[in-house]
Amino acid sequence: MDARCLCYYRVSTQRQGQSGLGLEAQHQEVKLYIDAKRGTIIAEFTETESGKKASNRPELLQALELCRKQKATLAIAKLDRLARNVHFISGLLEAGVNFVAVDQPMKDRFMLHVQAAFAEEEARRISVRTKEALAAAKKRGVVLGATGRVRAQRLKREAVLRAQALAPLIAEIRGMGLTQVRQIRDELNQRGVPGPGGGRWHLPTTHRTLARLGGKARFES
């Protein structure tokens, strides 16, 4: 890894950007890695954007341009902080910019591409299953747009449908022997599966999703 590093952090929602939710952990992970490698942080960039909108990243574009000029390494906490888009990751790999995902620094370019492809396909499948479930509910006469109590009921129904869309993947994860909430949360994040709101999975959101599926995993902090 080059001694000079530019750090890139991303959160998925404006609320997360304002509150710092998720940013502190990213800062800590990246700094620990760079310190261990005796590197130097020369600049930091923070983006508030959806992982699917890889083409609209002004902060990332600035970071990449500075990396080229300074011949520095772009450091990120996790691969999904860049994007869950294969085309974008492929372009990055061919752009001549060195980068490292500090949670998996030993993975080569091929494995990073494969992981991005898997994450994109998993996100696409979940999106399709959710849309199909919502369409089926609407066809049954369920009102999907309203305010107040009706809106609250709609949101609850949609949350259940999203959980059901995740059921095959969660069943697969449990089949790997990962049955605790923390383990399932970590595996979902590792695979780049978008959580509620498009961000990362946390213990409470994972627990609620499992509860909607009748999950019996232990809720541990």
Side-chain angles (χ1 to χ4, degrees):
M1 186 186 78
D2 293 335
R4 296 178 299 169
C5 298
L6 280 81
C7 304
Y8 176 77
Y9 314 108
R10 183 182 69 80
V11 289
S12 301
T13 66
Q14 189 63 40
R15 185 176 64 181
Q16 287 180 338
Q18 292 171 349
S19 68
L21 180 63
L23 284 177
E24 183 177 352
Q26 291 180 56
H27 277 267
Q28 183 177 9
E29 290 177 14
V30 172
K31 187 177 186 305
L32 285 174
Y33 177 81
I34 294 175
D35 287 347
K37 295 294 183 180
R38 297 185 179 180
T40 302
I41 297 175
I42 62 175
E44 295 179 292
F45 296 83
T46 300
E47 199 101 65
T48 302
E49 184 51 89
S50 166
K52 296 180 181 179
K53 297 179 180 178
S55 61
N56 185 23
R57 299 284 188 81
E59 293 295 316
L60 178 57
L61 292 177
Q62 289 184 49
L64 292 174
E65 182 62 25
L66 189 56
C67 276
R68 293 188 187 95
K69 291 180 179 179
Q70 298 290 333
K71 300 186 184 304
T73 295
L74 181 70
I76 59 174
K78 295 180 183 294
L79 182 64
D80 67 357
R81 294 299 89 187
L82 282 179
R84 294 185 293 269
N85 180 289
V86 171
H87 178 71
F88 177 79
I89 294 295
S90 297
L92 183 66
L93 291 172
E94 298 301 325
V97 173
N98 291 326
F99 77 93
V100 59
V102 303
D103 65 321
Q104 45 194 336
M106 301 307 294
K107 283 193 175 180
D108 59 21
R109 295 163 67 90
F110 174 75
M111 288 306 300
L112 289 173
H113 188 277
V114 169
Q115 182 172 335
F118 181 85
E120 179 181 339
E121 177 60 16
E122 196 62 57
R124 185 194 68 80
R125 290 183 181 182
I126 291 171
S127 177
V128 168
R129 290 197 294 266
T130 302
K131 289 177 180 178
E132 289 175 347
L134 290 172
K138 185 175 181 180
K139 190 174 182 179
R140 292 196 303 269
V142 176
V143 179
L144 297 180
T147 59
R149 186 177 65 178
V150 176
R151 181 175 182 276
Q153 293 173 344
R154 172 182 65 83
L155 293 175
K156 183 177 180 179
R157 282 193 297 268
E158 290 181 1
V160 171
L161 292 172
R162 283 192 295 269
Q164 291 173 346
L166 282 165
L169 176 59
I170 290 176
E172 177 187 332
I173 292 173
R174 282 175 165 159
M176 297 165 55
L178 306 177
T179 60
Q180 295 183 356
V181 176
R182 180 182 295 276
Q183 293 173 320
I184 294 172
R185 177 207 61 184
D186 291 346
E187 184 66 18
L188 289 170
N189 285 329
Q190 177 65 28
R191 297 190 184 201
V193 177
R200 291 176 59 74
W201 288 89
H202 301 283
L203 286 175
T205 53
T206 308
H207 184 263
R208 285 194 293 269
T209 297
L210 293 173
R212 291 182 179 113
L213 294 174
K216 299 185 182 301
R218 294 172 57 195
F219 182 39
E220 297 182 354
S221 59

